[in-house]
Amino acid sequence: MNSLWSIVFKKELKDLFRDRKTVIMSVILPLVLFPLLFGLIGKGVKSTTEKVTKEVKIAYIGGESSFKKFLSSVPNIKIVETNDYQEQVKKGSLYLAVVVEEDFDTKLAQDEMSDIKIIYDSESTNSQTALDVVEDIISTYKDEVVKRRLEARGIDVSILKPIDVKNEPINKEKSSEGALILTMLLPLYLIIYAITGPMAAAVDLGAGEKERGTLEPLLTTQASRMQLLFGKLFAITVMGIIGTTSSLTGLYIAFKYSMDFMGDVGLNISIGSLLLIGITAIILNMIFAAVELAVSIYARSFKEAQTYLSPVTIIGMIVAYGTYMMDVKSASTIMFNIPLANISLIIKEFVIGVYNPVHIAITFVWAFVYIIAAILFARYMFSKEEVVFRT
Amino acid sequence: MIEVIELTKKFKEVTAVDNISFKVDAGEIVGLLGENGAGKTTTLRMISTMLKPTSGTVKVCGLDLLKEPDKVRKKIGILFGGEVGLYDRLTARENIKYFADLGGLSSEEANKNIELLAEMLDMKEYIDRRVGKFSRGMKQKVAIARAIVHNPDVMLFDEPTIGLDISSSAIVQDFILDCKKKGRAIIFSSHSMREVEKLCDRVVIIHKGRLVYDGRIEDLRRDYNGEDLEKVFLRLVGDKNE
Ligand SMILES: Nc1ncnc2c1ncn2[C@@H]1O[C@H](COP(=O)(O)OP(=O)(O)O)[C@@H](O)[C@H]1O
Ligand SMILES: [Mg+2]
């Protein structure tokens, strides 16, 4: 015979999956949100940058000079003759204006310093992009002048480079850069998803049951409060895990899709790490599922549950952001006793392939304690007559 | 079959049920009559083990509620008025099946009972549709089926016709009479003497948590010389108001 909690569990999952709102909010939205967002932003950034760099429309102010010749020889630079360049840059019909001194060439020939002024619009991205392009050109031109001057004196250019710095990371794998980003983002995302993922289900299965008036008949069945609680808790946890999975999948698709403008961050995480991170994510979801269910049972209605749950969300997010920049390498063992921070840290360790048994033990024991505490809290709520029959 | 013994419930300062005792036999319908706030719901919630008595107890089929609440629950079916409390996204069958499963019925038993109930309550046509869009009367039938699917010996009805139209009320009343025929012990709470008069063999009148009358409807009629019982009820509870 089916045990009663599993009957509750199956029914709740079936019920939740029939709710279009829950499915959209916790499965579909997270899956498509990031790819859409990244796709749009990426496309937008790319197309405007392309538009500007294809034809950099600038004004050149000043007499004929070797620099003007150099500038016009750059294929994507288009020099527009105009006098009201200030106005035009402001309007955006020109991206920027280059103002060169009248005696530019004379000064150069005499080994003196010449000024070039660039008039641009600091509030326009187009102008900024053009500025980057023009600054690059000037820099190249400058190097050439320096080279010529040195050669005239019979000196090798390498004199300007007394030190050649080579960075050599201690980590042998190429992935360290990607891993760094991931140690910051993954704990943050996993915690936030564990908070938001189970939320809709928790509200529905706790306060929702009260509001629909189904709690009272349910409590007269053979199922004990603990069996009801566990069935609900597991169903909510499953929804949370599905939410996390689809959020991460969405994020992964988004990153893959937009690699060309983000740059390849070359990740490589071992299967072992992935597995441990997965287990940690499940535990995280379970913790928040239990807390949210307890709060939801306490609440009188959907609305009240949502109100009570917003501080839970905010506190969770604050802790998540607090550990965002935390460096795992310098974290002491004591820090693994801080709620949530420890989970954040352990995920960071897993990402970089550190498996410290003491840290894992401390964190998982604490996680277990949190889950038990939250379940006991939920059971307490469920057994209190004032709470169950609050109207 | 049901034996309420000196049952008392206090909520902080309010004594909702105050030292009430009465009995209900198999095949008997007892009306629990009282005005709003008299303590009817609280009494029925204690009998169904949802609330713990402050003192006193109830024996259901000889089982003490305080000692064996799980077994007591198995014997009891409840139908509460107001919101029917169904899962809108589940079909009628799924709603009933859920409670059958939680009542510890085997799958064959549950399915057999559901078929019988669908027949009896004339629900075949819509039993596999989601209840969200059902009319009030249809929902009421599902709630009835859910309350009885585990074949309880005792049925508790808490103002089950409240807010129902005449035809839906009739469904409920027919169902109560059918329970009587099957030899169940029934408590039916109401604030209307008319309804109690029509259905019940005996009436237990409570006011402000106290029992003010316990007797057969016929005896009540005889004692008050065929007076309008609604008036008798008002006088009985009115007396205590002073
Ligand atoms: N959970 C509760 N907490 C506090 N007081 C309650 C609670 N439930 C009922 N009461 C009080 O107990 C009294 C009896 O209520 P109830 O049993 O619902 O009456 P009835 O069902 O006859 O209308 C009322 O005064 C009501 O306010
Ligand atoms: Mg009531």
Side-chain angles (χ1 to χ4, degrees):
Chain A
M1 202 187 88
N2 270 335
S3 58
L4 294 180
W5 75 261
S6 78
I7 292 170
V8 177
F9 172 72
K10 280 183 216 149
K11 177 265 164 189
E12 298 296 18
L13 271 188
K14 190 198 286 176
D15 202 350
L16 285 170
F17 269 103
R18 286 203 188 153
D19 183 17
R20 209 172 299 146
K21 208 174 67 201
T22 302
V23 172
I24 290 173
M25 287 298 285
S26 46
V27 186
I28 298 174
L29 198 67
L31 193 62
V32 298
L33 186 67
F34 279 109
L36 272 179
L37 217 60
F38 275 50
L40 286 179
I41 293 173
K43 239 196 183 107
V45 169
K46 225 162 111 181
S47 74
T48 46
T49 313
E50 256 169 15
K51 190 185 118 212
V52 174
T53 50
K54 215 165 115 194
E55 192 186 51
V56 190
K57 283 178 286 182
I58 61 173
Y60 178 91
I61 316 298
E64 287 302 316
S65 69
S66 54
F67 178 63
K68 185 176 182 184
K69 249 180 250 150
F70 184 80
L71 199 56
S72 6
S73 73
V74 180
N76 57 343
I77 296 287
K78 182 166 183 246
I79 297 178
V80 179
E81 296 295 337
T82 174
N83 281 326
D84 66 339
Y85 60 91
Q86 303 265 16
E87 201 48 42
Q88 296 224 38
V89 171
K90 210 179 264 173
K91 261 189 354 205
S93 52
L94 286 179
Y95 298 137
L96 54 79
V98 182
V99 182
V100 179
E101 287 177 295
E102 284 298 333
D103 52 354
F104 185 87
D105 276 355
T106 334
K107 276 188 173 170
L108 268 193
Q110 291 167 356
D111 284 2
E112 282 177 36
M113 200 168 80
S114 292
D115 286 347
I116 294 179
K117 239 194 307 186
I118 300 174
I119 316 289
Y120 76 106
D121 181 355
S122 62
E123 286 164 0
S124 144
T125 27
N126 288 352
S127 190
Q128 297 274 7
T129 311
L131 181 65
D132 286 343
V133 174
V134 171
E135 276 180 337
D136 274 352
I137 295 169
I138 293 174
S139 174
T140 317
Y141 181 72
K142 210 165 64 184
D143 287 348
E144 240 164 66
V145 173
V146 170
K147 202 173 143 208
R148 248 186 285 135
R149 286 180 177 178
L150 288 176
E151 270 166 4
R153 287 170 176 76
I155 303 169
D156 194 83
V157 193
S158 65
I159 194 168
L160 290 178
K161 212 177 178 191
I163 299 170
D164 187 17
V165 183
K166 283 202 180 82
N167 292 336
E168 225 170 80
I170 191 98
N171 338 64
K172 285 285 164 277
E173 316 85 22
K174 282 188 286 246
S175 72
S176 56
E177 196 190 336
L180 180 69
I181 297 174
L182 208 61
T183 56
M184 299 201 311
L185 292 184
L186 197 61
L188 182 67
Y189 285 157
L190 286 180
I191 292 173
I192 291 174
Y193 295 152
I195 295 173
T196 55
M199 186 94 67
V203 170
D204 197 58
L205 301 197
E209 192 104 47
K210 254 193 215 177
E211 190 163 316
R212 285 187 298 258
T214 45
L215 184 59
E216 219 170 315
L218 191 60
L219 291 178
T220 61
T221 62
Q222 289 294 293
S224 70
R225 312 257 158 136
M226 269 318 235
Q227 285 164 332
L228 292 175
L229 210 56
F230 274 109
K232 284 172 182 291
L233 178 64
F234 289 139
I236 295 167
T237 306
V238 166
M239 290 309 283
I241 292 166
I242 291 173
T244 298
T245 311
S246 72
S247 299
L248 286 183
T249 311
L251 213 55
Y252 181 76
I253 295 170
F255 271 113
K256 266 269 181 263
Y257 185 64
S258 50
M259 263 331 171
D260 44 338
F261 89 98
M262 295 280 301
D264 197 331
V265 284
L267 267 180
N268 77 59
I269 295 187
S270 71
I271 296 291
S273 285
L274 275 181
L275 219 65
L276 283 167
I277 292 169
I279 293 170
T280 314
I282 292 172
I283 291 172
L284 254 181
N285 271 293
M286 204 148 177
I287 294 172
F288 282 106
V291 172
E292 288 169 12
L293 178 60
V295 172
S296 171
I297 287 172
Y298 176 73
R300 265 174 267 236
S301 62
F302 281 105
K303 260 222 180 86
E304 218 178 84
Q306 277 155 352
T307 311
Y308 293 155
L309 281 173
S310 45
V312 174
T313 316
I314 292 166
I315 292 168
M317 299 237 178
I318 288 172
V319 178
Y321 278 107
T323 59
Y324 170 67
M325 292 298 286
M326 219 183 258
D327 185 12
V328 247
K329 296 278 172 71
S330 56
S332 64
T333 302
I334 294 171
M335 313 236 330
F336 285 84
N337 292 296
I338 306 172
L340 274 190
N342 53 7
I343 292 177
S344 176
L345 285 171
I346 206 84
I347 296 171
K348 287 173 196 250
E349 285 197 343
F350 292 156
V351 170
I352 58 172
V354 172
Y355 313 114
N356 181 325
V358 177
H359 292 176
I360 295 175
I362 295 177
T363 306
F364 281 22
V365 166
W366 271 122
F368 192 65
V369 171
Y370 307 148
I371 293 173
I372 296 294
I375 289 174
L376 290 179
F377 175 51
R379 191 182 74 155
Y380 174 70
M381 288 300 168
F382 226 172
S383 64
K384 271 181 85 80
E385 293 175 354
E386 297 94 296
V387 171
V388 173
F389 293 107
R390 250 152 48 105
T391 37
Chain B
M1 219 169 207
I2 309 172
E3 201 177 337
V4 178
I5 305 159
E6 294 172 5
L7 198 59
T8 301
K9 180 71 186 179
K10 289 192 175 123
F11 295 111
K12 292 193 182 104
E13 63 278 6
V14 195
T15 305
V17 175
D18 194 355
N19 200 24
I20 284 180
S21 304
F22 64 92
K23 280 186 191 169
V24 185
D25 289 329
E28 189 182 31
I29 306 178
V30 169
L32 188 60
L33 186 63
E35 295 177 310
N36 271 335
K40 305 182 292 291
T41 301
T42 306
T43 303
L44 293 178
R45 276 179 177 162
M46 282 192 282
I47 299 175
S48 61
T49 76
M50 279 187 285
L51 288 178
K52 249 207 178 72
T54 310
S55 64
T57 188
V58 180
K59 286 190 175 156
V60 176
C61 308
L63 299 162
D64 192 316
L65 174 124
L66 299 174
K67 295 187 191 116
E68 298 173 291
D70 290 348
K71 284 188 185 154
V72 168
R73 253 182 275 149
K74 211 180 176 97
K75 302 277 183 199
I76 289 178
I78 58 167
L79 185 67
F80 284 1
E83 266 302 306
V84 278
L86 299 172
Y87 300 102
D88 283 354
R89 297 187 292 263
L90 299 188
T91 66
R93 187 191 298 279
E94 285 164 343
N95 265 288
I96 303 165
K97 182 76 166 31
Y98 185 42
F99 278 76
D101 289 343
L102 290 180
L105 264 61
S106 71
S107 231
E108 303 90 74
E109 246 180 312
N111 291 333
K112 197 186 80 197
N113 288 1
I114 291 170
E115 285 311 319
L116 283 174
L117 285 164
E119 184 86 46
M120 178 188 125
L121 292 163
D122 197 18
M123 300 195 295
K124 286 210 148 146
E125 207 179 305
Y126 52 82
I127 190 149
D128 286 312
R129 291 198 344 236
R130 293 193 194 180
V131 301
K133 294 209 173 72
F134 282 13
S135 71
R136 188 66 213 268
M138 287 153 86
K139 283 186 178 172
Q140 194 67 42
K141 286 184 180 178
V142 180
I144 288 173
R146 178 184 67 185
I148 200 127
V149 69
H150 59 298
N151 271 325
D153 294 328
V154 166
M155 276 300 302
L156 308 177
F157 296 89
D158 189 22
E159 306 204 39
T161 55
I162 212 157
L164 292 186
D165 58 22
I166 296 173
S167 65
S168 301
S169 292
I171 297 169
V172 174
Q173 286 163 357
D174 287 348
F175 172 66
I176 292 173
L177 290 172
D178 187 67
C179 284
K180 177 187 161 83
K181 248 187 264 160
K182 297 207 167 99
R184 297 187 164 114
I186 298 151
I187 301 180
F188 168 83
S189 95
S190 176
H191 61 268
S192 146
M193 181 55 113
R194 293 261 175 280
E195 214 177 15
V196 169
E197 223 181 329
K198 203 158 79 185
L199 285 171
C200 303
D201 306 300
R202 257 183 43 227
V203 60
V204 170
I205 300 177
I206 55 172
H207 185 63
K208 294 193 170 165
R210 296 226 177 87
L211 190 138
V212 294
Y213 184 87
D214 176 3
R216 296 168 59 80
I217 300 276
E218 293 157 29
D219 296 343
L220 195 63
R221 277 208 189 90
R222 197 189 51 221
D223 291 353
Y224 288 88
N225 298 320
E227 216 181 312
D228 182 355
L229 288 187
E230 192 76 52
K231 287 204 182 112
V232 172
F233 166 52
L234 285 177
R235 214 165 57 226
L236 277 171
V237 301
D239 283 344
K240 310 279 165 177
N241 271 340
E242 284 148 30

